[in-house]
Each structure stands twice: as C-alpha cells, then as structure tokens.
C-alpha cells in the first residue's frame, strides 16, 4: 500500500512567494525524505529528517516532521522559477533494508 | 562523471519482445534499486540488490529479472513485454540499505 501522500497535488505560485507541501504517511518510520524531480529527469534528494527530529533546514528548504500526526511538510522560501518541479516525500515504513516508499508527489509551478 | 547512469534513455519496442536496461553506479554504494514510475508519476520499487543478493522483490511479474554482475551494476531484463510495461524505469543506489538514494536519469520504455 502507498505510504506517503502529498498534498496539494499541484501548486502554482509567483516567484518570491513561499511554497508549502505536505506529506502524510501511515506506518511508523525511521526517517522521511524529500526528493525533487524536474520534468524528464531523475529524482534528486533534498533532505532527510529522522524520526526523532522535528525540524530541519537546508538553504531555502525547511522540513518539519510530526510523528504523532504522521505528517511532514516541506517549505520552500523565496521561490524561484528554477524550483518548478515535482516534489516527493518518501518513507522507509519503519523497516530495515531499503524499500523506500514514495508518494505521488506535488507538482510545483513557480511563475516568473 | 555521472554517479548513476542507465542506458538506454529511450526504448521503443513491440509487444512480446525481450529487452534489457543497464545501470551502473560509480559511487561505491552497497545497494542498488530499480523503480518503476507510471504515467501518473507514481514511483514503485521493483527490486533492490545488496552485495549481489536480492533483498527485496515486490509483487513484480517474473517476466522482470534483475541481474547484478558486480556491486556496481544492476541490469533489468524484461521478457515478453506487455503494453502495461510502458513506463519510466529508474535505477538508484544508496550507501546502505536505507538513507539517501541517488537516481539515474531514467529509461522511458514504450511498448507498442
């Protein structure tokens, strides 16, 4: 069964605005990751947050994790046209090896 | 140098044919994966290999077979191709059985 589900499915904003994407999951996890996929390209890892962490920053990215609600959010501040991409959350389902489970993604469009 | 490279990038073939997609990583990672992304962008893990041992095999038809000649390579063989096999196939690798995944650029398979 699908583990992560992102919302919204699509988000359109103006350059300079902030973009927030949410992810919900169903089982316990060891960590949660966010990935970006540009059109026609492979996925690129953005950030990993462990189950004992509540917030993590990386440049213009801020990720929060609420294990009690089984949810995470990705905030991109001061968005740029180059941020236009699909964003996926992925969880390990609390298991041991591999089996990273991806959600369906949020398609972000940043208009110049 | 490309970290995870897969070939071919595009593959168009007829139903019933057999085809292979090759993947190589030069990151020295222990685990490699194959993911399938359907037309709705949903990513599903197909296989993972750790030190030449298959450690995950999801409910994938046995027409699909991974072959790993060494730790740096994980090829995907598909027999008797069907229309529903049309998708983008991504190879990925990671240092351990979890953590950050490094993806290839994908191989778009079209079955006519």
């Amino acid at each position: 069964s699908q583990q992560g589900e992102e919302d919204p499915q699509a988000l359109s904003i103006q350059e300079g605005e902030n973009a927030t994407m949410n992810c919900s999951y169903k089982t316990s996890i060891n960590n949660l990751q966010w990935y970006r996929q540009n059109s026609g390209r492979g996925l690129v890892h953005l950030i990993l947050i462990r189950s004992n962490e509540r917030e993590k920053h990386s440049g213009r990215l801020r990720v929060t994790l609420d294990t009690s609600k089984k949810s995470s959010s990705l905030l991109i501040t001061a968005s740029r046209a180059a941020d236009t991409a699909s964003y996926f959350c992925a969880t390990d389902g609390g298991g041991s090896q591999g089996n990273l489970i991806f959600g369906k993604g949020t398609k972000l469009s940043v208009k110049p | 140098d490309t970290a995870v490279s897969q070939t071919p990038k595009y593959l168009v073939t007829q139903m019933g044919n057999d085809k292979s997609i090759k993947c190589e990583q030069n990151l020295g990672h222990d685990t490699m994966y194959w993911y399938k992304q359907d037309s709705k962008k949903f990513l599903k893990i197909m296989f993972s290999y750790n030190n030449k041992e298959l450690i995950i095999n999801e409910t994938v038809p046995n027409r699909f077979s991974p072959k790993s000649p060494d730790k740096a390579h994980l090829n995907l063989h598909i027999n008797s191709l069907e229309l529903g096999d049309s998708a983008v196939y991504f190879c990925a690798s990671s240092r351990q059985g979890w953590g950050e995944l490094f993806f290839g650029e994908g191989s778009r398979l079209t079955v006519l």
Side-chain angles (χ1 to χ4, degrees):
Chain A
S1 64
Q2 184 176 332
Q3 175 74 317
E5 289 201 20
E6 295 89 344
D7 82 272
Q9 290 188 348
L11 181 61
S12 183
I13 59 174
Q14 294 294 132
E15 230 175 4
E17 294 180 341
N18 295 341
T20 299
M21 289 158 270
N22 303 298
C23 169
S24 60
Y25 57 92
K26 295 176 183 173
T27 66
S28 62
I29 60 172
N30 295 311
N31 64 65
L32 183 145
Q33 303 180 41
W34 285 91
Y35 287 80
R36 183 187 75 228
Q37 184 181 31
N38 289 75
S39 181
R41 306 296 299 274
L43 281 78
V44 175
H45 180 265
L46 294 175
I47 198 162
L48 180 153
I49 185 165
R50 302 188 192 284
S51 59
N52 61 355
E53 296 176 313
R54 292 295 166 258
E55 188 170 310
K56 204 161 182 181
H57 297 255
S58 177
R60 294 184 294 113
L61 305 181
R62 174 179 167 249
V63 167
T64 62
L65 179 64
D66 187 335
T67 52
S68 66
K69 295 182 180 177
K70 291 187 169 58
S71 68
S72 173
S73 68
L74 170 68
L75 168 68
I76 303 175
T77 60
S79 63
R80 305 166 182 168
D83 295 328
T84 295
S86 292
Y87 291 82
F88 295 86
C89 71
T91 59
D92 57 15
S96 55
Q97 298 277 331
N99 203 11
L100 204 59
I101 304 167
F102 286 81
K104 290 185 179 179
T106 292
K107 190 167 184 179
L108 173 66
S109 176
V110 181
K111 299 180 179 177
Chain B
D1 282 346
T2 303
V4 180
S5 59
Q6 49 183 114
T7 56
K9 190 170 174 63
Y10 300 98
L11 189 53
V12 181
T13 188
Q14 299 288 327
M15 268 175 46
N17 284 351
D18 302 337
K19 290 294 176 186
S20 295
I21 305 173
K22 295 184 177 181
C23 179
E24 176 182 2
Q25 55 96 3
N26 62 7
L27 299 167
H29 286 167
D30 296 316
T31 308
M32 295 182 71
Y33 310 83
W34 277 105
Y35 278 83
K36 178 182 180 180
Q37 187 172 44
D38 63 23
S39 58
K40 296 183 179 178
K41 301 295 185 187
F42 181 52
L43 265 165
K44 184 175 180 181
I45 188 166
M46 300 177 71
F47 303 102
S48 73
Y49 256 74
N50 185 324
N51 290 326
K52 298 206 278 187
E53 287 185 63
L54 180 67
I55 57 173
I56 297 174
N57 185 347
E58 293 293 315
T59 53
V60 173
N62 57 15
R63 297 182 295 104
F64 291 79
S65 56
K67 296 276 195 294
S68 181
D70 55 58
K71 200 172 85 164
H73 296 83
L74 182 64
N75 303 324
L76 182 65
H77 297 272
I78 315 170
N79 296 324
S80 303
L81 279 157
E82 300 177 358
L83 293 176
D85 297 333
S86 295
V88 182
Y89 292 85
F90 286 97
C91 177
S93 69
S94 68
R95 184 174 290 112
Q96 300 165 329
W98 52 85
E100 177 183 354
L101 294 186
F102 290 77
F103 281 84
E105 290 295 292
S107 296
R108 180 176 292 276
L109 172 65
T110 302
V111 182
L112 304 175

